[in-house]
Amino acid sequence: MNPSYHICYFGLLAERRGITDERLRSPAQTPAEIFAAINMEHPLGMPTSDCHAAVNDEFVPWNHPLQDGDRVAFLPPMSGG
């Protein structure tokens, strides 16, 4: 059985996905692989080079190895004021 991940979307990615979080079973082994799989089904309109990934509340490189049960967050560029 494929590992289960808790996927979280922030900012523009949440708007484009239409949800802020979901559970996902996937054979993906990195945040990049998960992002690509989601983007194929639900176009997010943003390349990985324009956003960040976090695993269990820590920023990680896109090729970071994932474990079953990880919380994976995708964060677009943000501006504030």
Side-chain angles (χ1 to χ4, degrees):
M1 183 182 282
N2 289 327
S4 176
Y5 305 111
H6 179 198
I7 310 300
C8 300
Y9 305 93
F10 290 88
L12 187 58
L13 294 174
E15 288 179 31
R16 290 180 179 172
R17 180 66 182 93
I19 56 176
T20 57
D21 68 304
E22 65 181 320
R23 288 275 177 199
L24 178 68
R25 285 204 173 274
S26 172
Q29 297 178 357
T30 67
E33 291 175 6
I34 289 178
F35 192 90
I38 291 167
N39 201 33
M40 286 180 64
E41 267 191 63
H42 309 281
L44 299 172
M46 189 174 298
T48 57
S49 60
D50 288 349
C51 49
H52 295 282
V55 175
N56 301 324
D57 302 321
E58 298 283 335
F59 285 110
V60 297
W62 284 98
N63 63 349
H64 179 82
L66 297 174
Q67 301 292 319
D68 186 42
D70 278 347
R71 179 177 184 261
V72 182
F74 299 119
L75 302 98
M78 303 214 184
S79 62

Coordinates of all heavy atoms in Angstrom, one line a residue:
M1 N 0.8 -1.2 0.0 CA 0.0 0.0 0.0 C 0.9 1.2 0.0 O 1.9 1.3 0.6 CB -0.9 0.0 1.2 CG -1.9 1.1 1.3 SD -2.9 1.2 2.7 CE -4.1 0.0 2.3
N2 N 0.5 2.3 -0.7 CA 1.2 3.5 -0.8 C 1.2 4.3 0.5 O 0.3 4.2 1.3 CB 0.7 4.4 -1.9 CG 0.9 3.9 -3.3 OD1 1.9 3.2 -3.5 ND2 0.0 4.1 -4.2
P3 N 2.3 5.0 0.8 CA 2.4 5.8 2.0 C 1.3 6.9 2.0 O 0.8 7.3 0.9 CB 3.7 6.5 1.9 CG 4.5 5.8 0.9 CD 3.6 5.1 0.0
S4 N 0.9 7.4 3.1 CA -0.1 8.4 3.3 C 0.6 9.7 3.7 O 1.4 9.7 4.6 CB -1.2 8.0 4.3 OG -2.1 9.0 4.5
Y5 N 0.2 10.8 3.1 CA 0.8 12.1 3.4 C -0.4 13.1 3.7 O -1.4 13.0 3.1 CB 1.6 12.7 2.3 CG 2.7 11.7 1.8 CD1 2.7 11.1 0.6 CD2 3.8 11.5 2.6 CE1 3.7 10.2 0.2 CE2 4.8 10.6 2.2 CZ 4.7 10.0 1.0 OH 5.7 9.1 0.6
H6 N -0.1 14.0 4.6 CA -1.0 15.1 4.9 C -0.5 16.3 4.1 O 0.6 16.8 4.4 CB -1.0 15.4 6.3 CG -2.0 16.6 6.7 ND1 -1.9 17.2 7.9 CD2 -3.0 17.2 6.0 CE1 -2.8 18.2 7.9 NE2 -3.5 18.2 6.8
I7 N -1.2 16.7 3.0 CA -0.7 17.8 2.1 C -1.4 19.1 2.5 O -2.6 19.1 2.7 CB -1.1 17.4 0.7 CG1 -0.6 16.0 0.3 CG2 -0.5 18.5 -0.3 CD1 0.9 15.8 0.4
C8 N -0.6 20.1 2.7 CA -1.2 21.5 3.0 C -0.8 22.5 1.9 O 0.3 22.4 1.4 CB -0.6 21.9 4.3 SG -1.0 20.9 5.7
Y9 N -1.8 23.3 1.6 CA -1.6 24.3 0.5 C -1.7 25.7 1.2 O -2.6 25.9 2.0 CB -2.6 24.2 -0.6 CG -2.6 22.8 -1.2 CD1 -3.5 21.8 -0.8 CD2 -1.8 22.5 -2.3 CE1 -3.6 20.6 -1.3 CE2 -1.8 21.2 -2.8 CZ -2.7 20.3 -2.4 OH -2.8 19.0 -2.9
F10 N -0.9 26.6 0.8 CA -1.0 28.0 1.3 C -1.1 29.0 0.2 O -0.7 28.7 -1.0 CB 0.3 28.3 2.1 CG 0.3 27.5 3.4 CD1 0.9 26.3 3.4 CD2 -0.2 28.0 4.6 CE1 0.9 25.5 4.6 CE2 -0.2 27.3 5.8 CZ 0.4 26.0 5.8
G11 N -1.7 30.2 0.5 CA -1.8 31.3 -0.4 C -2.4 30.9 -1.7 O -3.5 30.3 -1.8
L12 N -1.8 31.4 -2.8 CA -2.3 31.2 -4.2 C -2.5 29.7 -4.5 O -3.4 29.3 -5.2 CB -1.4 31.9 -5.2 CG -1.9 31.9 -6.6 CD1 -3.2 32.6 -6.7 CD2 -0.9 32.6 -7.5
L13 N -1.6 28.8 -4.0 CA -1.8 27.4 -4.3 C -3.1 26.9 -3.6 O -3.8 26.0 -4.3 CB -0.6 26.6 -3.7 CG 0.7 26.9 -4.5 CD1 1.9 26.2 -3.8 CD2 0.7 26.5 -5.9
A14 N -3.4 27.3 -2.4 CA -4.7 26.9 -1.8 C -5.9 27.4 -2.6 O -6.8 26.7 -2.8 CB -4.8 27.4 -0.4
E15 N -5.8 28.6 -3.1 CA -6.9 29.2 -4.0 C -7.0 28.4 -5.2 O -8.1 28.0 -5.6 CB -6.6 30.6 -4.3 CG -6.7 31.6 -3.2 CD -6.4 33.0 -3.6 OE1 -6.7 33.4 -4.8 OE2 -5.9 33.8 -2.7
R16 N -5.9 28.0 -5.9 CA -6.0 27.3 -7.2 C -6.4 25.9 -6.9 O -7.1 25.3 -7.8 CB -4.7 27.4 -7.9 CG -4.4 28.8 -8.4 CD -3.1 28.8 -9.1 NE -2.9 30.2 -9.6 CZ -1.7 30.6 -10.1 NH1 -0.7 29.8 -10.2 NH2 -1.6 31.8 -10.6
R17 N -6.0 25.3 -5.9 CA -6.4 23.9 -5.6 C -7.8 23.8 -5.0 O -8.5 22.8 -5.2 CB -5.4 23.3 -4.6 CG -5.7 21.8 -4.2 CD -5.5 20.9 -5.3 NE -5.9 19.5 -4.9 CZ -7.1 19.0 -5.0 NH1 -8.1 19.7 -5.5 NH2 -7.3 17.7 -4.6
G18 N -8.3 24.9 -4.4 CA -9.7 24.9 -3.9 C -9.8 24.3 -2.5 O -10.9 24.2 -2.0
I19 N -8.7 24.0 -1.9 CA -8.7 23.4 -0.5 C -7.4 23.8 0.2 O -6.4 24.2 -0.5 CB -8.8 21.9 -0.5 CG1 -7.7 21.2 -1.3 CG2 -10.2 21.4 -1.0 CD1 -7.7 19.7 -1.3
T20 N -7.4 23.7 1.5 CA -6.1 24.1 2.2 C -5.4 22.8 2.6 O -4.2 22.9 2.9 CB -6.4 24.9 3.4 OG1 -7.3 24.2 4.3 CG2 -7.0 26.3 3.0
D21 N -6.0 21.7 2.7 CA -5.3 20.5 3.0 C -6.1 19.2 2.6 O -7.3 19.3 2.4 CB -5.0 20.4 4.5 CG -6.2 20.2 5.4 OD1 -7.1 21.1 5.3 OD2 -6.2 19.3 6.2
E22 N -5.4 18.1 2.5 CA -6.0 16.9 2.1 C -5.0 15.7 2.5 O -3.9 15.9 2.8 CB -6.2 16.8 0.6 CG -5.0 16.8 -0.2 CD -5.3 16.8 -1.7 OE1 -6.2 16.1 -2.1 OE2 -4.6 17.5 -2.5
R23 N -5.6 14.5 2.6 CA -4.8 13.3 2.8 C -4.6 12.7 1.4 O -5.5 12.7 0.6 CB -5.6 12.3 3.7 CG -5.6 12.7 5.1 CD -4.4 12.3 5.8 NE -4.4 12.7 7.2 CZ -3.4 12.8 8.0 NH1 -2.2 12.5 7.5 NH2 -3.5 13.2 9.2
L24 N -3.4 12.2 1.2 CA -3.1 11.7 -0.1 C -2.3 10.4 0.0 O -1.3 10.4 0.8 CB -2.3 12.7 -0.9 CG -1.8 12.4 -2.3 CD1 -3.0 12.2 -3.3 CD2 -0.9 13.4 -2.8
R25 N -2.7 9.4 -0.6 CA -1.9 8.1 -0.7 C -1.2 8.2 -2.1 O -1.8 8.4 -3.1 CB -2.7 6.9 -0.6 CG -3.2 6.6 0.7 CD -3.5 5.1 0.9 NE -3.8 4.9 2.3 CZ -2.9 4.6 3.3 NH1 -1.7 4.6 2.9 NH2 -3.3 4.4 4.5
S26 N 0.2 8.0 -2.0 CA 0.9 8.2 -3.3 C 2.2 7.4 -3.2 O 2.8 7.3 -2.1 CB 1.3 9.7 -3.5 OG 2.1 9.8 -4.5
P27 N 2.7 6.9 -4.3 CA 4.0 6.2 -4.3 C 5.1 7.3 -4.3 O 6.3 6.9 -4.3 CB 4.0 5.4 -5.6 CG 3.1 6.1 -6.5 CD 2.0 6.7 -5.6
A28 N 4.8 8.5 -4.4 CA 5.8 9.6 -4.5 C 6.8 9.5 -3.3 O 6.3 9.1 -2.2 CB 5.1 11.0 -4.5
Q29 N 8.0 9.8 -3.5 CA 9.0 9.7 -2.5 C 9.7 11.0 -2.1 O 10.5 11.1 -1.2 CB 10.1 8.7 -2.9 CG 9.6 7.3 -3.1 CD 10.6 6.3 -3.5 OE1 11.8 6.7 -3.8 NE2 10.2 5.1 -3.7
T30 N 9.3 12.1 -2.8 CA 9.8 13.5 -2.5 C 8.7 14.5 -2.7 O 7.7 14.2 -3.4 CB 10.9 13.8 -3.5 OG1 10.4 14.0 -4.8 CG2 12.1 12.8 -3.5
P31 N 8.9 15.7 -2.1 CA 7.9 16.7 -2.3 C 7.7 17.0 -3.8 O 6.6 17.3 -4.3 CB 8.4 17.9 -1.6 CG 9.3 17.3 -0.5 CD 9.9 16.1 -1.1
A32 N 8.8 17.0 -4.6 CA 8.7 17.3 -6.0 C 7.8 16.3 -6.7 O 7.0 16.7 -7.6 CB 10.1 17.3 -6.6
E33 N 7.9 15.1 -6.4 CA 7.1 14.0 -7.0 C 5.6 14.2 -6.6 O 4.7 14.0 -7.5 CB 7.6 12.6 -6.6 CG 8.9 12.3 -7.3 CD 9.4 10.9 -6.8 OE1 8.7 10.2 -6.1 OE2 10.6 10.6 -7.1
I34 N 5.3 14.6 -5.4 CA 4.0 14.8 -5.0 C 3.4 16.0 -5.7 O 2.3 16.0 -6.2 CB 3.8 15.0 -3.4 CG1 4.1 13.7 -2.7 CG2 2.5 15.6 -3.1 CD1 4.1 13.8 -1.2
F35 N 4.2 17.1 -5.7 CA 3.7 18.3 -6.4 C 3.4 18.0 -7.9 O 2.4 18.5 -8.4 CB 4.8 19.4 -6.3 CG 4.3 20.8 -6.7 CD1 3.8 21.6 -5.7 CD2 4.5 21.2 -8.0 CE1 3.3 22.9 -6.1 CE2 4.1 22.5 -8.3 CZ 3.5 23.3 -7.4
A36 N 4.3 17.3 -8.5 CA 4.1 17.0 -9.9 C 2.8 16.1 -10.1 O 2.0 16.4 -11.1 CB 5.3 16.2 -10.5
A37 N 2.5 15.2 -9.3 CA 1.4 14.3 -9.4 C 0.1 15.2 -9.2 O -0.9 15.0 -9.9 CB 1.4 13.2 -8.4
I38 N 0.1 16.0 -8.2 CA -1.1 16.9 -7.9 C -1.3 17.8 -9.1 O -2.4 18.0 -9.5 CB -0.9 17.7 -6.6 CG1 -0.9 16.7 -5.4 CG2 -2.0 18.7 -6.5 CD1 -0.5 17.3 -4.1
N39 N -0.2 18.4 -9.6 CA -0.3 19.4 -10.7 C -0.8 18.8 -11.9 O -1.5 19.5 -12.7 CB 1.1 20.0 -10.9 CG 1.1 21.3 -11.6 OD1 0.1 22.1 -11.4 ND2 2.1 21.6 -12.4
M40 N -0.6 17.5 -12.1 CA -1.2 16.8 -13.3 C -2.7 16.7 -13.2 O -3.4 16.9 -14.2 CB -0.5 15.4 -13.5 CG 0.9 15.5 -14.0 SD 1.6 13.9 -14.2 CE 0.6 13.2 -15.5
E41 N -3.2 16.4 -12.1 CA -4.7 16.3 -11.9 C -5.4 17.6 -11.7 O -6.5 17.8 -12.1 CB -4.9 15.4 -10.7 CG -5.1 14.0 -11.0 CD -5.7 13.2 -9.8 OE1 -6.8 13.5 -9.4 OE2 -4.9 12.3 -9.4
H42 N -4.7 18.5 -11.0 CA -5.3 19.8 -10.6 C -4.2 20.9 -10.9 O -3.4 21.2 -10.0 CB -5.6 19.8 -9.1 CG -6.4 18.7 -8.7 ND1 -7.8 18.6 -8.9 CD2 -6.1 17.5 -8.0 CE1 -8.3 17.5 -8.4 NE2 -7.2 16.8 -7.9
P43 N -4.2 21.4 -12.1 CA -3.1 22.4 -12.4 C -3.1 23.5 -11.5 O -4.0 24.2 -11.2 CB -3.6 22.9 -13.8 CG -4.4 21.7 -14.4 CD -5.1 21.1 -13.2
L44 N -1.9 23.7 -10.9 CA -1.6 24.7 -9.9 C -1.1 26.0 -10.5 O -1.0 27.0 -9.9 CB -0.7 24.2 -8.8 CG -1.2 23.0 -8.0 CD1 -0.2 22.4 -7.1 CD2 -2.5 23.4 -7.2
G45 N -0.6 25.9 -11.8 CA -0.1 27.1 -12.5 C 1.1 27.7 -11.9 O 1.3 28.9 -12.0
M46 N 2.0 26.9 -11.3 CA 3.2 27.4 -10.7 C 4.3 26.3 -10.7 O 4.0 25.2 -10.2 CB 2.9 27.9 -9.2 CG 4.0 28.7 -8.6 SD 3.5 29.3 -7.0 CE 2.2 30.4 -7.4
P47 N 5.4 26.6 -11.2 CA 6.5 25.6 -11.1 C 7.1 25.6 -9.7 O 7.0 26.5 -8.9 CB 7.5 26.2 -12.1 CG 7.3 27.6 -12.1 CD 5.9 27.9 -11.9
T48 N 7.8 24.5 -9.4 CA 8.4 24.3 -8.1 C 9.5 25.4 -7.9 O 9.7 25.7 -6.7 CB 9.0 22.9 -8.0 OG1 10.0 22.7 -9.0 CG2 8.0 21.8 -7.9
S49 N 10.1 25.9 -8.9 CA 11.1 26.9 -8.8 C 10.5 28.2 -8.2 O 11.3 29.0 -7.7 CB 11.8 27.2 -10.1 OG 10.9 27.6 -11.1
D50 N 9.2 28.4 -8.2 CA 8.6 29.6 -7.7 C 8.0 29.4 -6.3 O 7.3 30.3 -5.9 CB 7.5 30.1 -8.7 CG 8.1 30.7 -10.0 OD1 9.3 30.9 -10.0 OD2 7.3 30.9 -10.9
C51 N 8.1 28.3 -5.7 CA 7.5 28.1 -4.4 C 8.5 27.2 -3.6 O 9.5 26.8 -4.0 CB 6.1 27.5 -4.5 SG 5.9 26.1 -5.5
H52 N 8.1 27.0 -2.3 CA 8.9 26.2 -1.4 C 8.1 25.0 -0.9 O 6.9 25.0 -0.9 CB 9.2 27.1 -0.2 CG 10.1 28.2 -0.5 ND1 11.5 28.1 -0.7 CD2 9.8 29.5 -0.6 CE1 12.0 29.3 -1.0 NE2 11.0 30.2 -0.9
A53 N 8.8 24.0 -0.4 CA 8.2 22.8 0.2 C 8.7 22.8 1.7 O 9.8 23.1 2.0 CB 8.7 21.6 -0.5
A54 N 7.8 22.3 2.5 CA 8.2 22.0 3.9 C 7.7 20.7 4.3 O 6.6 20.2 3.8 CB 7.6 23.1 4.8
V55 N 8.4 20.0 5.1 CA 8.0 18.7 5.6 C 8.1 18.7 7.1 O 9.1 19.1 7.7 CB 8.9 17.5 5.0 CG1 8.6 16.2 5.7 CG2 8.8 17.4 3.5
N56 N 6.9 18.4 7.7 CA 6.8 18.4 9.2 C 7.3 19.8 9.7 O 8.1 19.8 10.7 CB 7.6 17.3 9.8 CG 7.0 15.9 9.3 OD1 5.8 15.8 9.1 ND2 7.9 15.0 9.1
D57 N 6.9 20.9 9.1 CA 7.1 22.2 9.5 C 8.5 22.7 9.4 O 8.9 23.7 10.0 CB 6.6 22.5 10.9 CG 5.1 22.1 11.1 OD1 4.4 22.5 10.2 OD2 4.8 21.5 12.1
E58 N 9.3 22.0 8.5 CA 10.7 22.5 8.2 C 10.9 22.6 6.7 O 10.5 21.7 6.0 CB 11.7 21.4 8.7 CG 11.7 21.2 10.2 CD 12.4 22.3 11.0 OE1 13.3 22.9 10.5 OE2 12.0 22.4 12.2
F59 N 11.4 23.8 6.3 CA 11.7 23.9 4.9 C 12.7 22.9 4.4 O 13.7 22.6 5.2 CB 12.2 25.3 4.5 CG 11.2 26.4 4.6 CD1 11.1 27.3 5.6 CD2 10.2 26.4 3.6 CE1 10.2 28.3 5.6 CE2 9.2 27.4 3.6 CZ 9.2 28.3 4.6
V60 N 12.5 22.3 3.3 CA 13.3 21.2 2.8 C 13.6 21.4 1.3 O 12.8 22.1 0.6 CB 12.7 19.8 3.0 CG1 12.6 19.5 4.5 CG2 11.4 19.6 2.3
P61 N 14.6 20.8 0.7 CA 14.8 20.8 -0.7 C 13.7 19.9 -1.4 O 13.2 19.0 -0.7 CB 16.2 20.2 -0.9 CG 16.6 19.6 0.4 CD 15.7 20.1 1.4
W62 N 13.5 20.2 -2.6 CA 12.4 19.5 -3.3 C 12.7 18.0 -3.4 O 11.8 17.2 -3.6 CB 12.2 20.1 -4.7 CG 11.4 21.3 -4.6 CD1 11.9 22.6 -4.6 CD2 10.0 21.5 -4.4 NE1 10.9 23.5 -4.5 CE2 9.8 22.9 -4.4 CE3 9.0 20.6 -4.4 CZ2 8.5 23.4 -4.2 CZ3 7.7 21.1 -4.2 CH2 7.4 22.5 -4.2
N63 N 13.9 17.5 -3.3 CA 14.3 16.1 -3.4 C 14.4 15.4 -2.0 O 14.9 14.3 -1.9 CB 15.6 15.9 -4.2 CG 16.8 16.5 -3.5 OD1 16.6 17.3 -2.5 ND2 17.9 16.2 -4.0
H64 N 13.9 16.1 -1.0 CA 13.9 15.5 0.4 C 13.1 14.2 0.5 O 12.0 14.1 0.0 CB 13.3 16.5 1.4 CG 13.3 16.1 2.8 ND1 14.3 16.2 3.6 CD2 12.3 15.5 3.5 CE1 14.0 15.7 4.8 NE2 12.8 15.3 4.8
P65 N 13.7 13.1 1.0 CA 13.0 11.9 1.1 C 11.8 11.9 2.1 O 12.0 12.5 3.2 CB 14.1 10.9 1.6 CG 15.2 11.7 2.1 CD 15.1 13.0 1.5
L66 N 10.7 11.4 1.7 CA 9.5 11.4 2.6 C 9.3 10.1 3.3 O 9.7 9.0 2.8 CB 8.3 11.7 1.7 CG 8.3 13.1 1.0 CD1 7.1 13.2 0.1 CD2 8.3 14.2 2.1
Q67 N 8.6 10.2 4.4 CA 8.2 9.0 5.2 C 6.7 9.0 5.3 O 6.0 10.0 5.3 CB 8.8 9.1 6.6 CG 10.3 9.2 6.7 CD 11.0 7.9 6.2 OE1 10.5 6.8 6.5 NE2 12.0 8.0 5.4
D68 N 6.2 7.8 5.4 CA 4.7 7.6 5.6 C 4.3 8.5 6.8 O 4.9 8.5 7.9 CB 4.4 6.1 5.9 CG 2.9 5.8 6.0 OD1 2.2 6.4 5.2 OD2 2.5 5.1 6.9
G69 N 3.2 9.2 6.6 CA 2.6 10.1 7.6 C 3.2 11.5 7.7 O 2.7 12.3 8.5
D70 N 4.1 11.8 6.8 CA 4.7 13.2 6.8 C 3.6 14.2 6.4 O 2.7 13.9 5.7 CB 5.8 13.3 5.8 CG 7.2 12.8 6.3 OD1 7.3 12.6 7.6 OD2 8.1 12.6 5.5
R71 N 3.8 15.4 7.0 CA 3.0 16.6 6.6 C 3.8 17.3 5.6 O 4.9 17.8 5.9 CB 2.7 17.4 7.9 CG 1.9 18.7 7.6 CD 1.6 19.4 8.9 NE 0.8 20.6 8.7 CZ 1.2 21.8 8.6 NH1 2.5 22.1 8.6 NH2 0.4 22.8 8.4
V72 N 3.3 17.5 4.4 CA 4.0 18.1 3.3 C 3.2 19.4 3.0 O 2.1 19.4 2.6 CB 4.1 17.2 2.1 CG1 4.9 17.9 1.0 CG2 4.8 15.9 2.5
A73 N 3.9 20.6 3.0 CA 3.3 21.8 2.8 C 3.9 22.5 1.5 O 5.1 22.4 1.3 CB 3.4 22.8 4.0
F74 N 3.1 23.1 0.7 CA 3.5 23.8 -0.5 C 3.2 25.3 -0.3 O 2.0 25.7 0.0 CB 2.9 23.3 -1.7 CG 3.2 21.8 -2.0 CD1 2.2 20.9 -2.0 CD2 4.5 21.4 -2.2 CE1 2.5 19.5 -2.2 CE2 4.9 20.1 -2.4 CZ 3.8 19.1 -2.4
L75 N 4.2 26.1 -0.3 CA 4.1 27.5 -0.1 C 4.5 28.4 -1.3 O 5.7 28.3 -1.7 CB 4.9 27.9 1.2 CG 4.6 27.2 2.4 CD1 5.5 26.0 2.6 CD2 4.6 28.1 3.6
P76 N 3.6 29.2 -1.8 CA 4.0 30.1 -2.9 C 4.8 31.3 -2.4 O 4.9 31.5 -1.2 CB 2.7 30.5 -3.5 CG 1.8 30.5 -2.3 CD 2.3 29.4 -1.4
P77 N 5.3 32.1 -3.3 CA 6.0 33.3 -2.8 C 4.9 34.2 -2.1 O 3.8 34.2 -2.5 CB 6.4 34.0 -4.1 CG 6.2 33.0 -5.2 CD 5.3 32.0 -4.7
M78 N 5.3 34.8 -1.1 CA 4.4 35.7 -0.3 C 5.0 37.0 -0.1 O 6.2 37.2 -0.1 CB 4.2 35.1 1.1 CG 3.7 33.7 1.0 SD 2.5 33.4 2.3 CE 2.2 31.6 2.1
S79 N 4.1 38.0 -0.1 CA 4.5 39.4 0.2 C 3.7 39.9 1.4 O 2.6 39.4 1.6 CB 4.4 40.3 -1.0 OG 3.0 40.3 -1.4
G80 N 4.2 40.7 2.1 CA 3.5 41.2 3.2 C 3.7 42.7 3.4 O 4.4 43.4 2.6
G81 N 3.0 43.2 4.3 CA 3.2 44.7 4.5 C 2.8 45.0 5.9 O 2.5 44.2 6.8

